[in-house]
Amino acid sequence: QVQLVESGGGLVQPGGSLRLSCVVSRLTLGRYAIGWFRQLPGKEREEISCASARGGMNTYADSVKGRFTISRDDAKNTAYLQMNSLEPEDTGVYYCATDGIHVDCSDFDVRPQDYWGQGTQVTVSS
């Protein structure tokens, strides 16, 4: 079945950077939009960024705009999230996901029953 595997999380000091990776198996990533989500302690999971397929627009939540950059390498079936200027408020579990249906982020609508990774912990602390 389709698998998404995140990596790259860890402990970083405030102001530091991390790069998350999401490797997709058994699904041609180049055909679909893919998103990064996070769940902060005590909060619901939220979408923070989406990368459209086929050169379409990327989107960002206001909370990460200007600090995080999403990218994708369809030849490697992998998506990335470069996170700079990390803050303690960014601490949480980060997930990648795709609905395996939509090309553009404007139509992106990932639900719990769609394709999710297992999550990777990001901790920002001094």
Side-chain angles (χ1 to χ4, degrees):
Q1 68 270 23
V2 176
Q3 279 192 320
L4 284 72
V5 179
E6 304 98 337
S7 62
L11 174 65
V12 64
Q13 292 188 340
S17 298
L18 285 173
R19 187 195 195 204
L20 306 183
S21 299
C22 171
V23 178
V24 180
S25 302
R26 301 183 189 89
L27 183 79
T28 302
L29 180 59
R31 296 177 179 172
Y32 307 109
I34 186 161
W36 284 95
F37 297 72
R38 69 183 181 184
Q39 186 160 20
L40 306 182
K43 297 191 177 179
E44 292 189 357
R45 192 158 52 187
E46 60 173 341
E47 179 182 327
I48 56 173
S49 187
C50 174
S52 294
R54 302 174 187 171
M57 261 182 52
N58 297 338
T59 62
Y60 297 92
D62 288 343
S63 57
V64 305
K65 202 173 291 184
R67 300 188 299 125
F68 291 9
T69 303
I70 194 170
S71 61
R72 54 193 296 157
D73 185 339
D74 293 336
K76 296 183 178 178
N77 241 34
T78 301
Y80 303 96
L81 186 69
Q82 177 67 43
M83 306 188 295
N84 298 331
S85 302
L86 283 161
E87 304 165 352
E89 294 73 22
D90 295 314
T91 295
V93 181
Y94 286 68
Y95 302 86
C96 58
T98 181
D99 59 14
I101 297 173
H102 295 108
V103 174
D104 290 323
C105 293
S106 57
D107 303 312
F108 198 56
D109 183 22
V110 179
R111 301 184 182 187
Q113 63 267 32
D114 292 325
Y115 306 119
W116 291 83
Q118 80 288 351
T120 186
Q121 175 71 42
V122 171
T123 302
V124 185
S125 176
S126 54

